[in-house]
């Protein structure tokens, strides 16, 4: 089976980890689509969260890996897009469960929070784990069903 293209994006804080993740993605036989940033010059994390989300939604990539200092800001930006489920993961367990239960399509990592070996383990778990479907499918479908104040009242 053809392996999906994996997009990678990071701000300056996530840049070193993004480079390591790109190397790992290629070593695992996937095609990496590197959306930047490409050096340690200060940039704004939302630009890269948006770029990764758009690559997944328009089909240039099947999944994405995004990195900033904490993984928080870049995942918040990506998660503004309906259909994007960016999971901020801290280890292989959260990465595995983000796929199994939440059908996450973007792995978010905090380069200043986790070590590179833990990040590698999380990446492998994320890429290796299929969505569990079944009882989780309806819950995932509800994520994009935003309830407005008017609808609730
Ligand atoms: C950059 O200094 C830092 O704020 C950013 O990488 C990220 O951690 C934001 O959530």
């Amino acid at each position: 089976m053809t392996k999906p293209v994996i997009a990678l994006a990071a701000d300056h804080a996530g840049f070193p980890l993004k480079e390591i993740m790109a190397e790992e993605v290629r070593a695992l036989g996937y095609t990496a689509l590197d959306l930047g940033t490409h050096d340690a010059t200060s940039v704004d994390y939302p630009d890269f969260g948006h770029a990764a989300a758009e690559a997944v939604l328009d089909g240039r990539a099947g999944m994405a890996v995004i990195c900033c200092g904490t993984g928080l800001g870049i995942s918040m930006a990506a998660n503004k897009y309906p259909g994007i489920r960016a999971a901020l993961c801290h280890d292989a367990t959260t990465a595995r469960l983000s796929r199994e239960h939440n059908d996450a399509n973007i792995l978010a990592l905090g380069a200043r929070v986790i070590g590179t070996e833990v990040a590698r383990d999380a990446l492998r778990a994320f890429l290796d784990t299929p969505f569990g479907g079944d009882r989780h499918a309806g819950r995932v479908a509800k994520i994009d069903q935003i309830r407005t104040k008017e609808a609730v009242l």
Side-chain angles (χ1 to χ4, degrees), residues 11-14 42-43 45 67-74 76 112:
D11 72 352
H12 54 288
S42 185
V43 291
Y45 58 81
C67 312
C68 68
T70 57
L72 288 165
I74 199 164
M76 288 177 187
R112 293 174 176 163

Side-chain angles (χ1 to χ4, degrees), residues 40-96:
T41 308
S42 185
V43 291
D44 298 332
Y45 58 81
D47 296 336
F48 296 90
H50 294 163
E54 287 163 14
V56 170
L57 289 174
D58 71 20
R60 279 177 292 144
M63 290 181 165
V65 179
I66 56 178
C67 312
C68 68
T70 57
L72 288 165
I74 199 164
S75 60
M76 288 177 187
N79 276 322
K80 298 299 285 185
Y81 293 72
I84 289 298
R85 293 174 298 281
L88 175 54
C89 298
H90 302 292
D91 49 32
T93 304
T94 46
R96 174 174 60 78

